[in-house]
Amino acid sequence: MLPIHLRETHAFVRPAVARHHRILEVGCGEGALAGQLAAEGHDVVAIDARLRDTPRPPGVRFEQVPLLRFASQPFDALVAVAVLHHLSPLDASVAKLRELLVPGGTLVVDDFDLAAPDAPTARWYYDAQDLLAAGGHFPPEAVHGTPDEAPLERWRHEHLHHDEPLHTGDDMVSALRDGGFELQHVTRGPYLFRYLARGHHGHTPAQERMAEYIFATERQRIAEGVFKPVGLRIVAQRR
């Protein structure tokens, strides 16, 4: 069984690209999603500025290249998971995404909104992160800040640790709308569970159950109005 973070992403991406054959994944990481799509019969190319030195799934053509330097014939669909908020300059990156799509092609974005968390949402996230780290279930090098820091300040400080400023959800939505895309679906939902489950996705059945519990908790608290939804999902069509 796929780990919960990949199951959730795949369940969102699959119907959006079902009618398309040639697919490009931008910022593919280890390539697990690209491999899943290839196994379902799609012709998949996957690019990343830094491909990881890990086993890669069959049936996918991988290229280590930044988006703005990638050249290809246009694709039927593009998939960008947890990458659009990183891409700079954002307007130029969106223009490149449009260039790499056939007219009427589909762009699928599964990302997060930097500006979304409020204090209760951030406090839950860091309380859970600190507990997991204390139990050896969260990589210590990925922990930023300390428990005595205000949660929203800790969130801001954590996301300043990047070469380029990260884009908010509103930034990404506006750039796509202004950059030649028709936004068909924009939805918000759980995302922090992906961070909290990093480093132990599916290593053991017990660890996968832990990840599923974290996901279910975040989803339920969002439904109750207790947490802000940090996840941002977009399906857009090239005009």
Side-chain angles (χ1 to χ4, degrees), residues 36-78:
Q36 188 70 23
L37 294 174
E40 292 165 357
H42 298 282
D43 180 7
V44 183
V45 177
I47 65 171
D48 202 297
R50 296 188 188 91
L51 285 176
R52 301 173 188 176
D53 188 18
T54 56
R56 297 173 191 164
V60 180
R61 179 162 65 87
F62 288 92
E63 290 194 30
Q64 181 169 297
V65 58
L67 170 66
L68 293 178
R69 297 182 186 174
F70 178 65
S72 173
Q73 293 296 313
F75 293 83
D76 304 321
L78 266 61

Side-chain angles (χ1 to χ4, degrees), residues 180-230:
F181 286 92
E182 178 184 347
L183 305 186
Q184 298 177 316
H185 302 285
V186 179
T187 57
R188 296 176 183 267
Y191 191 88
L192 296 173
F193 75 96
R194 304 181 190 210
Y195 286 147
L196 294 172
R198 83 173 81 183
H200 64 268
H201 292 306
H203 286 183
T204 68
Q207 289 170 330
E208 182 58 23
R209 286 195 298 272
M210 184 187 303
E212 291 173 352
Y213 175 82
I214 292 168
F215 166 68
T217 299
E218 184 181 4
R219 182 177 57 184
Q220 180 63 30
R221 297 297 182 270
I222 290 170
E224 293 168 350
V226 177
F227 293 166
K228 297 294 185 182
V230 177

